[in-house]
Amino acid sequence: MAGQLPFDERPWPERRDAALQNQTMRHTIGFVTRRFTLVKQEVYRANPDIEASRTVAVGQKRKAIHDLPELLERFRTQVEEHGGHTYLAARAEDAVDIALNIARTNQVKSVIKSKSMVTEEIELNQAFGKEGIAVRETDLGEYIIQLAHEKPSHILAPAVHRNRHQVADLFQEDAAQKKIAPPHSDDIEDLTRYARERLRQEFLQADMGVTGGNFLVAETGTLVLITNEGNADMVTSLPPVLVSIVGVEKMVENWTSLQEIIQQPAMSGIGRHLSSYTTMIHAPKSSGSAEGPEQWHVILVDNGRMALRGTKFEDVLSCIRCGACLNVCPVFREVGGHAYGSVYPGPIGIVETPLLTDFQILPELPSKLCTLCHACQEACPMDISLPQHIVSLRHIVIKRHLNSGMVGWTLKTWARFWGTASGYRRSISLARVMQRFYGKRRNASGLIPGMFAGWGQTREIPQVAPQTFHEWWQDRNQKGE
Ligand code: SF4
């Protein structure tokens, strides 16, 4: 069953032009992604043994995806035996309904969240907002984009497109609205202190915490979260109700598998040995415990994922959201994440967006936002065949969307002309006549009619040579030169 993903409805040329005109964003993203990549390369060079661990992790993750239905059952049984509740959401809207029901039952008025891409995927904040439930993002990057009313531009670093001066301006506006003291400067420490002080009260007052999940350990029914700010510890321990919303593919079989893979997101994404905080939950608060949620609900989201099992795209489900493929992608570095129009940008987004939605949204991504340079393939710690998948998706798009009678007729006519020497010569003569008619305009915008008009918007028409090589050769022979 196809899943649902939110998307930016602006057409690609509009998204592209907006990105290319935003020089600050391009500079910031280019600088940060290059930095992440350099540090990652240094860490890998300094730790040659990590490669062996990575290879083992890939094998174990592939096996976990193969055994996913069975591991899901084991995980659910474990969580429920320890007092938690589990739900399987087939589609995004099911996951939202389940979360809303839990909130209604517990008369939740305010929610605090740790970073979670799957809640972006199901548009949870918007759904809570419609119910009058206040949601506060507590990851610093997510907090910044929430204040800016933006979407994440990178799967690991959601506010990577904003520099600290822009963040300082945003916090100044926020402080003015709330009539509170603004940050002292645009120093990173001052900005972080401002966010921390704002968030502290919200942590203490929230009725419900919402997390995503980096890994699910089937063996013990444990949810594993890795963060660099410690906010997930607060989200999972302070509010009385905890809801964890996680894609089904986050499953690993046991702690041995987790041990091999847990380093990879930080190591490959930002070149650090391990994220600063690792939070593990396998039960709600038991009687006698000093902290922890009274209720723990785990919503396991399918939303198109299970349909990829058994297909040639199955390895996509091994993605650990490290962002390494985004960091090395020359297109991502130029246009940033918002230009993709999907919650999942970069090479993995190009592949996942059409696959999860059965091409219902943004089918143009594989053709428009990839140069097939293969940098993502080399960067991906999970050995996902991203470039090969992109080529396959292009084939599928062509088969599904470019098979109209008009396209078939055009290509046949073109082939008839260019399939013979005389046809080719006639087409050149025709092009010369057209060129005379349109003058020497190089920009094809507006010159090309009908379904090819879009092609002409971004291309220049080459000038037809006054004499082709064959004409020159014939001429030369006739003159006896
Ligand atoms: S596709 Fe590979 S490199 Fe890209 S985010 Fe997923 S695991 Fe990381």
Side-chain angles (χ1 to χ4, degrees):
M1 184 196 291
Q4 309 153 319
L5 290 185
F7 66 105
D8 185 340
E9 288 183 7
R10 288 177 302 163
W12 156 242
E14 224 177 283
R15 301 196 310 270
R16 176 202 59 207
D17 292 349
L20 292 177
Q21 282 155 19
N22 189 342
Q23 296 299 334
T24 311
M25 179 276 292
R26 291 176 66 195
H27 174 78
T28 310
I29 290 209
F31 175 79
V32 177
T33 50
R34 281 181 180 86
R35 176 98 199 112
F36 282 162
T37 306
L38 271 178
V39 180
K40 172 196 163 183
Q41 286 165 349
E42 280 165 20
V43 170
Y44 264 85
R45 256 196 304 275
N47 297 275
D49 51 324
I50 194 73
E51 187 55 26
S53 168
R54 187 194 67 78
T55 310
V56 174
V58 172
Q60 293 183 343
K61 187 68 189 155
R62 294 283 198 277
K63 182 168 181 311
I65 296 299
H66 181 265
D67 300 338
L68 196 48
E70 183 206 323
L71 296 183
L72 274 170
E73 277 316 304
R74 268 166 72 187
F75 176 85
R76 296 186 69 176
T77 307
Q78 285 294 323
V79 171
E80 284 169 16
E81 275 180 7
H82 289 97
H85 305 275
T86 65
Y87 313 80
L88 192 56
R91 308 223 324 156
E93 60 197 16
D94 302 326
V96 169
D97 286 345
I98 296 165
L100 281 175
N101 275 336
I102 298 167
R104 285 186 201 119
T105 309
N106 289 283
Q107 298 175 342
V108 168
K109 294 275 173 288
S110 60
V111 169
I112 49 169
K113 272 182 74 207
S114 66
K115 183 178 173 303
S116 153
M117 286 307 294
V118 79
T119 57
E120 296 284 347
E121 175 182 326
I122 64 174
E123 297 198 290
L124 186 72
N125 291 12
Q126 291 83 336
F128 276 158
K130 283 184 195 151
E131 284 277 312
I133 299 170
V135 181
R136 173 57 68 208
E137 296 286 350
T138 64
D139 169 89
L140 182 59
E142 289 282 350
Y143 178 69
I144 291 167
I145 60 167
Q146 190 182 26
L147 289 185
H149 305 289
E150 287 180 333
K151 301 265 184 203
S153 60
H154 188 288
I155 55 180
L156 198 69
V160 70
H161 57 289
R162 286 187 162 252
N163 64 26
R164 69 191 164 94
H165 310 295
Q166 293 173 316
V167 175
D169 290 345
L170 197 65
F171 285 4
Q172 295 277 353
E173 277 171 38
D174 181 56
Q177 271 174 18
K178 295 189 171 110
K179 299 191 178 27
I180 52 173
H184 297 303
S185 70
D186 60 8
D187 223 57
I188 305 277
E189 264 183 42
D190 278 337
L191 298 175
T192 311
R193 189 176 303 114
Y194 176 84
R196 191 188 298 133
E197 283 165 7
R198 300 286 74 69
L199 289 171
R200 184 70 48 167
Q201 274 314 309
E202 306 209 33
F203 276 125
L204 294 171
Q205 287 162 2
D207 305 312
M208 183 163 119
V210 172
T211 71
N214 294 91
F215 302 104
L216 301 167
V217 186
E219 185 180 37
T220 49
T222 307
L223 172 87
V224 181
L225 293 160
I226 49 179
T227 66
N228 288 314
E229 297 162 25
N231 56 318
D233 285 358
M234 311 271 268
V235 171
T236 54
S237 56
L238 291 174
V241 181
L242 175 62
V243 177
S244 302
I245 306 177
V246 196
V248 288
E249 82 284 8
K250 295 298 172 81
M251 197 66 69
V252 293
E253 184 178 358
N254 50 34
W255 289 86
T256 316
S257 304
L258 182 73
Q259 185 186 321
E260 302 293 352
I261 204 170
I262 197 165
Q263 266 190 304
Q264 287 305 326
M267 183 81 100
S268 299
I270 54 172
R272 290 180 58 169
H273 284 272
L274 198 58
S275 302
S276 307
Y277 297 87
T278 302
T279 310
M280 297 173 188
I281 308 153
H282 80 284
K285 180 162 107 176
S286 57
S287 58
S289 299
E291 60 180 38
E294 285 150 25
Q295 296 173 33
W296 181 37
H297 303 265
V298 187
I299 305 174
L300 300 157
V301 182
D302 175 350
N303 204 27
R305 289 163 170 78
M306 292 301 258
L308 299 183
R309 290 180 64 252
T311 72
K312 65 178 170 184
F313 301 110
E314 184 176 291
D315 63 356
V316 167
L317 297 172
S318 304
C319 177
I320 51 170
R321 306 274 183 252
C322 69
C325 56
L326 282 67
N327 296 341
V328 296
C329 175
V331 178
F332 182 85
R333 283 177 174 176
E334 284 301 319
V335 298
H338 293 152
Y340 290 74
S342 167
V343 284
Y344 296 115
I348 185 62
I350 288 179
V351 173
E352 269 194 349
T353 306
L355 282 178
L356 289 180
T357 60
D358 193 26
F359 296 86
Q360 295 302 305
I361 64 161
L362 304 167
E364 76 274 15
L365 285 180
S367 313
K368 303 278 189 211
L369 283 121
C370 177
T371 61
L372 287 181
C373 69
H374 285 234
C376 53
Q377 169 95 68
E378 283 175 33
C380 178
M382 301 312 291
D383 288 346
I384 299 171
S385 308
L386 293 163
Q388 288 84 343
H389 291 336
I390 290 170
V391 172
S392 299
L393 293 173
R394 286 180 182 181
H395 285 158
I396 295 173
V397 170
I398 288 167
K399 274 198 189 138
R400 285 200 192 179
H401 298 274
L402 282 183
N403 59 358
S404 72
M406 183 64 183
V407 174
W409 178 86
T410 307
L411 293 176
K412 269 190 205 135
T413 310
W414 187 1
R416 200 170 300 143
F417 263 107
W418 282 28
T420 62
S422 65
Y424 176 76
R425 279 184 211 123
R426 264 183 282 143
S427 74
I428 295 294
S429 307
L430 184 65
R432 280 210 196 100
V433 173
M434 297 294 284
Q435 188 169 280
R436 227 174 286 140
F437 182 64
Y438 285 115
K440 299 271 181 201
R441 272 179 68 181
R442 300 292 306 271
N443 190 331
S445 177
L447 287 185
I448 300 175
M451 65 180 177
F452 296 113
W455 186 89
Q457 279 171 13
T458 53
R459 287 168 174 85
E460 290 187 343
I461 301 178
Q463 294 290 300
V464 182
Q467 193 177 34
T468 64
F469 173 78
H470 286 107
E471 287 165 347
W472 172 79
W473 189 257
Q474 216 172 11
D475 204 24
R476 190 173 170 275
N477 282 345
Q478 276 168 4
K479 287 178 186 161
E481 290 174 6

